[in-house]
Amino acid sequence: MSHHSLLCLLRSEFCIGALALAAMLPAARGQEPKTAVLDLGTRRELFVDYFLFEKLDGAELRLQTPRDEGNVMAFDKPWEGAFCAYATILKDGDKYRAYYRGNPAAGADGSAGECTCYAESADGKTWTKPDLGLHVVAGSKENNVILAAAPPFSHNFCPMIDGRAGVPAEERYKALAGSRKSGLVVFVSSDGLSWRKLREEPVITEGAFDSQNVPLWSEAERGYVCYFRVFKDGFRRISRTTSSDFINWSPPELMEYGDRPVEHLYTNQTSPYFRAPHIYISIAARFMPGRKVLTEEQAKEIGVDPRYFGDCSDGIFMTTRGGDRYDRTFMEGFLKPGVGLENWVSRTNYPALNVVPTGPAEISIYANQNYGQPTAHLRRYSLRTDGFVALHAGYDGGQIVTRPLKFAGKELEINFATSAAGSVKVELQDERGLPLEGCALDDCQEQIGNEIDRVVRWRNGSDVSAYAGKPVRMRIMLNDADVFSFRFRQ
């Protein structure tokens, strides 16, 4: 058989097998097949779900493992302690801000002993706790407390930076906090340090509100969104509500997972990913009630509060593109408990809110560790930029074809990594699946290396603006390689 005949046979087999798999992919996510042309413009797309795929053969989506970068902040102040929780990390210009609950002793939610603490960093790696002089705690104003003597609001105070155009300067920072009894109350600030209630009355009243309630501004949905915990059929579930003004909120809607099983998700930590804000990343705390790992002797050995070693938890990865559906392509753990008994107690490994850049090729996530123990702290984990999930193929190779897309711009940029023997090639096709002139697979230069923003080149260069605004498909062929994201740029 000639090389040409063999290539035609392989392409034919790919189309038949891939089309069969394509028919399976939407059902696996509990979604209807998407036939409309997707208008990307110049936005970046991440391979975190099957949303873009029409055909796939020999390749897979592979969840990545965050790298443990160690303890970055001990909760060692007298007003902090073993029961610090519900951290939020904000990247605010050149400064990183951390907000978290201080709570040295276990007690009822919203107890008077809770306060809201603050730390800051220039790089997201080394943190300091400034003496702010805002509140008297234990007879002194020399502390890093931004909210004190305000039960129940320090139980779960959750701030955000308001990205809405035209927001008043004195309300640039917003927060929601409260309990089931109080409802969620709005706080605002001009500097992220001095906070005041925008109004006494709660703005959201239907929910459990006994963990972190996550507000955000969504450019994609052109409005505010809040994700919060509810109980449904004995499970800790997540609901969401929306608003145009942060005061008047829609009736809550329960988030669903398609045909994926329901698990206890304690905190949801849903936020727009800063490089692709139409995709919300959720690194949620998966709670395993009654799944006891430690014996009483082992619990005494690490000094954990005797009420807090009867369960265990980890962090899971899911995404949403708005609406009432989370995509749970990956059911396995994302932030898995580490080596050591201290990692296998109740309510540890709870992820902090938000993913932030901490280097030109690095993003970071954070998690509360060693809950209920004298060694309680905030821990940092890192990934390559966009590196939550890889479109991966091994040495024998694989390929995907996307659904029809429209793009703006003139060049295709990919975030990828290969082995020394591996490669990535891209073909642009018309809506029928035929190669576009000058952009066929044989025209594409082999992409070899490890870069965050490599521009793909074909035989005649990188300019693909002649096809901008027209329905196209992308065919990506890769072997011993990972592709994390792509965009068409100006």
Side-chain angles (χ1 to χ4, degrees):
M1 182 182 294
S2 70
H3 175 74
H4 176 73
S5 298
L6 178 61
L7 183 60
C8 290
L9 177 62
L10 289 174
R11 286 179 173 171
S12 175
E13 289 178 347
F14 164 67
C15 291
I16 294 171
L19 282 171
L21 180 57
M24 296 166 56
L25 291 178
R29 300 284 71 81
Q31 298 174 357
E32 293 299 319
K34 298 177 176 65
T35 56
V37 176
L38 180 64
D39 193 350
L40 298 184
T42 58
R43 80 187 188 201
R44 189 182 316 276
E45 286 291 342
L46 276 59
F47 291 112
V48 291
D49 55 25
Y50 290 97
F51 182 69
L52 297 173
F53 291 2
E54 184 170 289
K55 305 174 186 178
L56 181 149
D57 181 57
E60 64 176 338
L61 292 184
R62 180 173 289 185
L63 186 67
Q64 302 298 284
T65 300
R67 176 178 174 177
D68 185 353
E69 301 289 358
N71 180 348
V72 293
M73 189 193 309
F75 298 137
D76 54 3
K77 299 296 184 183
W79 51 87
E80 296 178 343
F83 299 94
C84 284
Y86 304 146
T88 298
I89 309 297
L90 301 180
K91 176 73 163 59
D92 189 6
D94 294 332
K95 181 180 290 186
Y96 297 79
R97 301 177 182 269
Y99 300 83
Y100 53 97
R101 183 185 75 199
N103 192 15
D109 292 356
S111 66
E114 295 177 338
C115 61
T116 303
C117 304
Y118 170 83
E120 59 189 29
S121 172
D123 58 8
K125 302 172 185 178
T126 302
W127 294 82
T128 59
K129 301 173 183 178
D131 287 333
L132 300 173
L134 296 174
H135 299 277
V136 175
V137 178
S140 173
K141 282 192 172 184
E142 293 182 3
N143 58 62
N144 62 324
V145 173
I146 62 164
L147 195 67
F153 303 114
S154 278
H155 180 67
N156 52 17
F157 187 86
C158 188
M160 57 170 276
I161 298 174
D162 193 342
R164 179 175 62 86
V167 65
E170 62 272 18
E171 298 178 11
R172 179 170 179 258
Y173 301 85
K174 288 183 171 67
L176 289 174
S179 64
R180 183 192 295 268
K181 183 177 179 179
S182 71
L184 295 185
V185 173
V186 176
F187 289 76
V188 294
S189 173
S190 62
D191 61 2
L193 300 175
S194 297
W195 293 82
R196 63 179 175 87
K197 290 182 184 178
L198 187 61
R199 51 186 279 179
E200 289 294 329
E201 298 80 10
V203 296
I204 305 174
T205 57
E206 297 179 46
F209 307 143
D210 59 342
S211 66
Q212 198 163 354
N213 311 289
V214 176
L216 59 91
W217 166 256
S218 171
E219 282 292 337
E221 297 188 67
R222 302 303 301 166
Y224 298 101
V225 186
C226 179
Y227 294 88
F228 55 93
R229 228 240 330 266
V230 296
F231 286 91
K232 176 72 171 177
D233 299 329
F235 281 90
R236 293 163 174 85
R237 296 284 299 273
I238 301 163
S239 282
R240 80 168 220 155
T241 177
T242 60
S243 173
S244 61
D245 59 6
F246 214 77
I247 298 296
N248 300 287
W249 293 82
S250 65
E253 54 184 348
L254 186 69
M255 297 295 292
E256 300 289 354
Y257 314 106
D259 62 354
R260 307 301 259 175
V262 174
E263 298 182 299
H264 288 276
L265 298 182
Y266 207 102
T267 56
N268 69 81
Q269 308 306 41
T270 305
S271 63
Y273 178 54
F274 65 96
R275 280 170 53 92
H278 64 290
I279 299 174
Y280 307 166
I281 301 296
S282 177
I283 305 175
R286 175 168 57 183
F287 184 57
M288 306 297 293
R291 192 171 177 84
K292 186 176 179 180
V293 178
L294 275 62
T295 65
E296 291 186 11
E297 292 74 18
Q298 290 173 322
K300 289 179 181 178
E301 181 183 333
I302 63 173
V304 65
D305 186 291
R307 293 165 289 182
Y308 286 91
F309 71 96
D311 322 286
C312 61
S313 55
D314 59 10
I316 59 96
F317 178 86
M318 57 186 181
T319 59
T320 177
R321 293 171 179 262
D324 65 352
R325 179 69 54 84
Y326 279 118
D327 187 287
R328 289 213 63 185
T329 294
F330 308 98
M331 294 299 297
E332 61 265 33
F334 181 59
L335 277 181
K336 299 177 183 179
V339 174
L341 299 174
E342 65 276 9
N343 293 295
W344 295 91
V345 305
S346 301
R347 296 166 174 81
T348 197
N349 307 306
Y350 276 22
L353 175 61
N354 292 322
V355 179
V356 294
T358 48
E362 178 190 83
I363 55 178
S364 289
I365 56 180
Y366 303 80
N368 283 78
Q369 305 263 267
N370 297 21
Y371 191 79
Q373 302 169 59
T375 51
H377 64 272
L378 188 71
R379 202 166 192 89
R380 185 174 77 91
Y381 295 83
S382 67
L383 292 161
R384 75 178 284 136
T385 300
D386 306 342
F388 306 103
V389 179
L391 172 63
H392 173 81
Y395 185 84
D396 292 331
Q399 52 187 325
I400 65 115
V401 174
T402 70
R403 56 185 285 198
L405 313 169
K406 285 184 181 179
F407 68 88
K410 61 182 293 185
E411 293 180 320
L412 173 62
E413 174 186 289
I414 61 172
N415 180 345
F416 80 112
T418 74
S419 71
S423 68
V424 176
K425 297 182 77 174
V426 181
E427 175 177 274
L428 297 185
Q429 303 176 346
D430 65 17
E431 200 168 2
R432 299 168 297 168
L434 300 176
L436 293 172
E437 184 177 356
C439 295
L441 203 68
D442 290 342
D443 296 320
C444 187
Q445 295 181 7
E446 254 190 332
Q447 306 301 306
I448 305 169
N450 188 341
E451 295 183 24
I452 303 298
D453 54 1
R454 168 76 65 85
V455 173
V456 176
R457 302 183 70 85
W458 289 266
R459 188 167 295 146
N460 295 325
S462 61
D463 190 346
V464 293
S465 59
Y467 303 114
K470 303 174 183 178
V472 301
R473 299 178 189 270
M474 288 177 56
R475 178 186 178 193
I476 303 176
M477 181 175 286
L478 61 166
N479 68 289
D480 203 2
D482 297 308
V483 181
F484 301 94
S485 66
F486 73 90
R487 68 165 178 162
F488 289 91
R489 71 182 194 185
Q490 296 291 355

